[in-house]
């Protein structure tokens, strides 16, 4: 016997479906509906939302600055699949601001750097604690703006965030106001390493990009943001007083958007000085890879070919073979988009090294 559905419930469901479709995202009506769509266990999702489960592996990777590390929170395979589904069916269908270049299909760091070719002045800023500074309430607001109802917006926000240090079983002030089993000591944050974090960060940062675009337009500057790296440039002459006012206006716009400027990383590069954007030289009519970066990459390939992967990884002080291979793979892909004539032969040598060492395509995917 068919179950009779309350007409009011059916009308509400149809309204939610229309709202989601108006934003070109997949309708998600309830947490149980999300479980059905993703193939996940409903109780698994509920335990994550209740903050009873923190299915992440946390590790560190070195940054370019000596002694600095980046904390990575890698979701478990099940949660990874759920977040990838949300990325493919929800967040990848919402376009961030045109100034944003990271975490988007078809956009790259090379394209971002190219926007600043030939710059006379370069203003470079870094957002402090970019991912961890984006909290669960901001993610919730993004989901509400896409037409999702308050409860499923709250639940998806929790699936895409985690508590500091993986805290669980919170019972404090921050909770969903209707469901008592959804408590938490504090709002979660975007974990760096989750598939959804980059796209969500871009959507949360859209008001920031809009404000900075207005500042750039006022000063006749080009503006781009690649994750937490913000760059402004101009081809014309600027006096020091104008540059000082511009820096102040940019800093004010960042604070108004509830982000923080990393003051120690703010750089003003005047005419005549070497200009680098995202690791690429832009002070000319074409992008160039700096000589030190070329030499480091060549040294890695030469060292691995001469002494073997394991010995070179130990000598270069990498924590793992997989991490080293990922690093060289990524640098070669990056270089190939800038200088194919130089990167092509080097890539062939690198592939020969890996083949001789018995490293397979499956190994590289697993790493």
């Amino acid at each position: 016997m068919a179950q009779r559905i309350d007409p009011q419930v059916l009308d509400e469901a149809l309204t939610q479906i229309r709202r989601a479709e108006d934003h070109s995202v997949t309708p998600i009506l309830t947490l149980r509906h999300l479980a059905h769509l993703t193939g996940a266990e409903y109780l698994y999702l509920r335990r994550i939302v209740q903050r009873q489960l923190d299915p992440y592996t946390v590790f560190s990777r070195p940054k370019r600055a000596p002694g600095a590390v980046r904390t990575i929170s890698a979701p478990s395979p099940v949660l990874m699949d759920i977040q990838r589904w949300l990325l493919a069916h929800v967040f990848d269908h919402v376009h961030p601001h045109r100034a944003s270049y990271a975490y988007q299909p078809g956009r790259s760091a090379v394209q971002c750097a190219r926007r600043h070719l030939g710059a006379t002045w370069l203003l470079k800023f870094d957002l402090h604690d970019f991912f961890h500074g984006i909290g669960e309430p901001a993610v919730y607001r993004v989901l509400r703006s896409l037409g999702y109802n308050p409860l499923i917006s709250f639940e998806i926000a929790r699936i895409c965030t985690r508590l500091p240090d993986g805290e669980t079983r919170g019972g404090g002030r921050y909770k969903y106001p209707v469901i008592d089993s959804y408590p938490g000591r504090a709002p979660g944050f975007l974990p760096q390493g989750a598939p959804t974090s980059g796209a969500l960060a871009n959507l949360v940062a859209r008001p920031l990009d809009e404000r900075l675009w207005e500042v750039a337009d006022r000063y006749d500057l080009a503006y781009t943001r690649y994750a937490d790296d913000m760059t402004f440039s101009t081809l014309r002459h600027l006096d020091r007083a104008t540059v000082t006012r511009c820096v102040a206006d940019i800093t004010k716009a960042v604070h108004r958007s509830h982000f923080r400027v990393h003051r120690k990383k703010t750089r003003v590069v005047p005419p005549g000085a070497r200009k680098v954007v995202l690791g690429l030289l832009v002070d000319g009519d074409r992008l160039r890879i700096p000589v030190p970066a070329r030499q480091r990459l060549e040294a890695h390939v030469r060292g691995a070919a001469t002494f073997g992967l394991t010995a070179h990884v130990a000598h270069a002080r990498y924590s793992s073979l997989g991490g080293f291979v990922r690093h060289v793979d990524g640098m070669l892909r990056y270089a190939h988009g800038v200088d194919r004539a130089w990167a092509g032969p080097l890539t062939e040598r690198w592939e020969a090294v890996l083949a001789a060492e018995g490293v397979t395509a499956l190994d590289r995917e697993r790493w």
Side-chain angles (χ1 to χ4, degrees), residues 243-261:
V243 171
T244 300
R245 287 197 306 273
C246 182
V247 170
D249 287 349
I250 290 167
T251 303
K252 189 185 302 181
V254 171
H255 290 171
R256 283 184 60 203
S257 305
H258 308 291
F259 288 91
R260 289 187 296 156
V261 170

Side-chain angles (χ1 to χ4, degrees), residues 42-339:
Y42 167 73
L43 291 179
Y44 175 82
L45 293 178
R46 190 170 177 87
R47 289 184 67 204
I48 293 174
V49 176
Q50 290 173 321
R51 297 299 193 202
Q52 293 180 353
L53 186 64
D54 181 55
Y56 290 87
T57 300
V58 182
F59 56 93
S60 298
R61 285 184 181 168
K63 292 184 177 180
R64 278 178 288 184
V69 296
R70 177 178 286 106
T71 301
I72 304 296
S73 301
S76 69
V78 175
L79 181 56
M80 179 79 79
D81 287 344
I82 295 164
Q83 291 176 343
R84 282 174 174 162
W85 187 95
L86 287 167
L87 181 64
H89 292 84
V90 179
F91 305 123
D92 268 353
H93 291 263
V94 189
H95 298 297
H97 194 276
R98 56 182 164 168
S100 172
Y101 281 81
Y103 313 115
Q104 298 174 67
R107 306 203 96 184
S108 69
V110 173
Q111 292 172 329
C112 184
R114 193 169 282 127
R115 289 277 288 115
H116 303 285
L117 270 177
T120 53
W121 285 87
L122 205 62
L123 311 180
K124 301 172 69 175
F125 301 82
D126 190 90
L127 294 172
H128 186 72
D129 219 9
F130 182 53
F131 285 100
H132 289 192
I134 296 176
E136 185 182 312
V139 177
Y140 169 85
R141 288 192 291 271
V142 166
L143 288 154
R144 289 288 290 133
S145 73
L146 299 179
Y148 293 113
N149 70 48
L151 178 55
I152 193 61
S153 295
F154 177 88
E155 291 168 330
I156 294 174
R158 286 224 160 161
I159 289 167
C160 295
T161 59
R162 70 186 295 258
L163 293 178
D165 301 319
E167 295 176 12
T168 57
R169 299 186 182 277
R173 296 165 298 166
Y174 185 79
K175 63 180 184 178
Y176 189 74
V178 176
I179 300 179
D180 290 335
S181 63
Y182 282 177
R185 289 190 182 93
F189 61 86
L190 287 181
Q192 189 165 4
T196 46
S197 290
L200 276 168
N202 280 340
L203 297 178
V204 171
R206 187 177 181 95
L208 165 70
D209 291 329
E210 289 170 350
R211 287 191 175 103
L212 292 179
W213 190 270
E214 290 175 3
V215 173
D217 186 60
R218 192 157 66 244
Y219 287 91
D220 194 20
L221 304 173
Y223 162 61
T224 62
R225 181 178 58 79
Y226 193 87
D228 55 356
D229 288 308
M230 303 179 300
T231 306
F232 298 79
S233 69
T234 184
L235 303 178
R236 65 188 183 90
H237 174 74
L238 296 176
D239 58 71
R240 292 275 179 178
T242 301
V243 171
T244 300
R245 287 197 306 273
C246 182
V247 170
D249 287 349
I250 290 167
T251 303
K252 189 185 302 181
V254 171
H255 290 171
R256 283 184 60 203
S257 305
H258 308 291
F259 288 91
R260 289 187 296 156
V261 170
H262 200 309
R263 293 187 180 277
K264 291 183 178 180
K265 294 186 178 181
T266 299
R267 297 286 183 272
V268 176
V269 188
R274 185 169 175 265
K275 295 178 178 63
V276 179
V277 175
L278 300 174
L280 297 174
L281 289 166
V282 299
D283 47 1
D285 58 359
R286 63 182 180 86
L287 297 177
R288 304 185 317 282
I289 301 168
V291 171
R294 288 173 178 258
Q295 291 174 338
R296 282 195 301 271
L297 192 50
E298 288 170 344
H300 280 322
V301 175
R302 184 171 58 250
T306 304
F307 304 106
L309 270 176
T310 303
H312 182 73
V313 166
H315 174 75
R317 297 184 179 179
Y318 277 78
S319 59
S320 70
L321 176 63
F324 172 73
V325 172
R326 276 199 313 271
H327 172 73
V328 176
D329 280 345
M331 289 299 295
L332 284 169
R333 283 194 300 270
Y334 192 54
H336 205 266
V338 180
D339 189 344

